[in-house]
Amino acid sequence: MFAPLARLSRPLLPTAREAANSPRPAAVEAAATGKDRLQFSSGMQYRGQSAGHLVLQTAEDLTIARAHDMKQVEPTFSLKSHYESLARTGEEGSLFRMGEAQVEARIEAQVGRYLSLRESLSGHVPGAAHAWADTTLKTLDMATGKPIRLTDLFPAKDIHAALLQDPIMRKALEGDRPADLDSLISKVSGYRDPDGVYALESSLLDHFSLHRLEGGKVAVRVALPYGVEVYRGHLTQLELKLPVPPGLADDLRRAADRSAGILAPEAEKVLAGRSTVIETEPGLP
């Protein structure tokens, strides 16, 4: 097992409030409004607005909506509908189509138009010797409701440089230093930890969450799948510290001071024990 990763609760970049006296384009300044605040209640576990998108989380569902009209909000994405659709019409052979399943989702971060989630999935396929389980991370583009890749937010050269510094990746590379990101991913794909705790796959960059600001960089967590069945459901994470992309800098500051969105250290405090649980059965209407 791995020791907990170090965390820093206070960002080292200036917050939106600290930077208020610095000249910035009017369009950027107007993006944060008095409505961009978190609200909690007994029924609503989380309500956060950022970059014109509203996230609503209850115990039964997590939805995303455009936040132009706060009186009439129509969801553009529903986590419950997404997984119920997988159970009905997902790819042939999908575990969600083959048996009962449960998804527990919790919010890791909301930054601008992006929402990072941790999902713990489990289920049972009739005739199987034991239940299946998996825990992973994903980041959604709230404008589309679709997952994005790490390269959609960060330059490949920055990801490549950070991965070369990671202890797990150095172990898998066995002293090799591939010249670019594609070569590195190709080199490590199929690697299994000798103890079977984790594996490295070609989908490595699909499973990540935004975490926090630290030392002028943004810390990103990357989820690795388990290596052998005895570790099913176990989550191993890489932590990469990447230069802040210019287009994400203001959104990260607003999430850090909670004027619009939230970052993982605060989410872990204020959302402790709060999650959405969805249960599905194949063929449900």
Side-chain angles (χ1 to χ4, degrees):
M1 301 296 178
F2 296 91
L5 294 167
R7 292 174 183 154
L8 183 67
S9 61
R10 179 174 176 79
L12 297 184
L13 286 183
T15 66
R17 296 188 183 102
E18 291 168 342
N21 295 325
S22 300
R24 290 190 295 174
V28 174
E29 188 66 39
T33 72
K35 293 181 180 178
D36 292 346
R37 303 289 174 183
L38 303 182
Q39 298 180 13
F40 303 94
S41 67
S42 57
M44 183 67 64
Q45 295 184 350
Y46 177 88
R47 181 185 187 279
Q49 183 178 336
S50 62
H53 295 277
L54 181 67
V55 177
L56 303 173
Q57 182 181 27
T58 67
E60 293 79 28
D61 200 4
L62 186 153
T63 59
I64 299 169
R66 293 293 297 174
H68 295 307
D69 185 349
M70 301 300 292
K71 296 179 181 178
Q72 295 181 349
V73 176
E74 291 294 331
T76 56
F77 173 82
S78 159
L79 197 69
K80 180 179 177 67
S81 296
H82 170 70
Y83 279 106
E84 287 182 347
S85 177
L86 283 183
R88 293 193 309 271
T89 62
E91 293 183 5
E92 204 67 42
S94 162
L95 293 173
F96 280 91
R97 286 193 63 179
M98 295 170 63
E100 297 178 354
Q102 177 178 287
V103 180
E104 181 175 4
R106 77 182 200 197
I107 292 172
E108 293 278 294
Q110 181 183 357
V111 179
R113 62 186 279 181
Y114 304 106
L115 179 69
S116 293
L117 301 173
R118 176 183 297 205
E119 293 184 349
S120 298
L121 308 98
S122 61
H124 181 73
V125 175
H130 54 71
W132 59 269
D134 189 29
T135 303
T136 193
L137 303 170
K138 70 181 182 183
T139 295
L140 302 176
D141 181 342
M142 294 193 288
T144 64
K146 304 294 185 183
I148 62 171
R149 303 191 82 218
L150 192 57
T151 46
D152 292 329
L153 294 183
F154 299 92
K157 63 180 181 58
D158 292 340
I159 301 170
H160 173 247
L163 286 173
L164 287 175
Q165 300 302 313
D166 181 80
I168 286 179
M169 300 302 292
R170 289 204 305 268
K171 182 178 179 181
L173 288 169
E174 299 178 326
D176 195 6
R177 291 181 65 86
D180 55 43
L181 182 59
D182 288 341
S183 300
L184 188 155
I185 298 297
S186 178
K187 170 72 176 179
V188 301
S189 293
Y191 176 85
R192 294 291 184 272
D193 166 54
D195 295 325
V197 179
Y198 64 86
L200 298 174
E201 298 180 350
S202 59
S203 60
L204 176 72
L205 304 182
D206 296 337
H207 304 286
F208 75 95
S209 69
L210 301 168
H211 196 269
R212 69 186 185 281
L213 288 169
E214 180 177 331
K217 294 188 175 182
V218 55
V220 173
R221 298 284 177 88
V222 177
L224 305 182
Y226 60 84
V228 296
E229 282 295 306
V230 68
Y231 289 106
R232 61 188 179 273
H234 176 79
L235 175 63
T236 300
Q237 303 180 70
L238 307 182
E239 180 166 289
L240 308 179
K241 294 186 177 69
L242 300 168
V244 176
L248 205 58
D250 287 299
D251 288 330
L252 282 163
R253 292 188 185 102
R254 292 182 184 118
D257 71 11
R258 290 178 58 186
S259 62
I262 197 168
L263 290 178
E266 282 299 306
E268 290 169 3
K269 296 175 188 175
V270 301
L271 296 175
R274 298 170 184 259
S275 62
T276 296
V277 178
I278 299 163
E279 296 182 351
T280 69
E281 294 179 28
L284 281 178

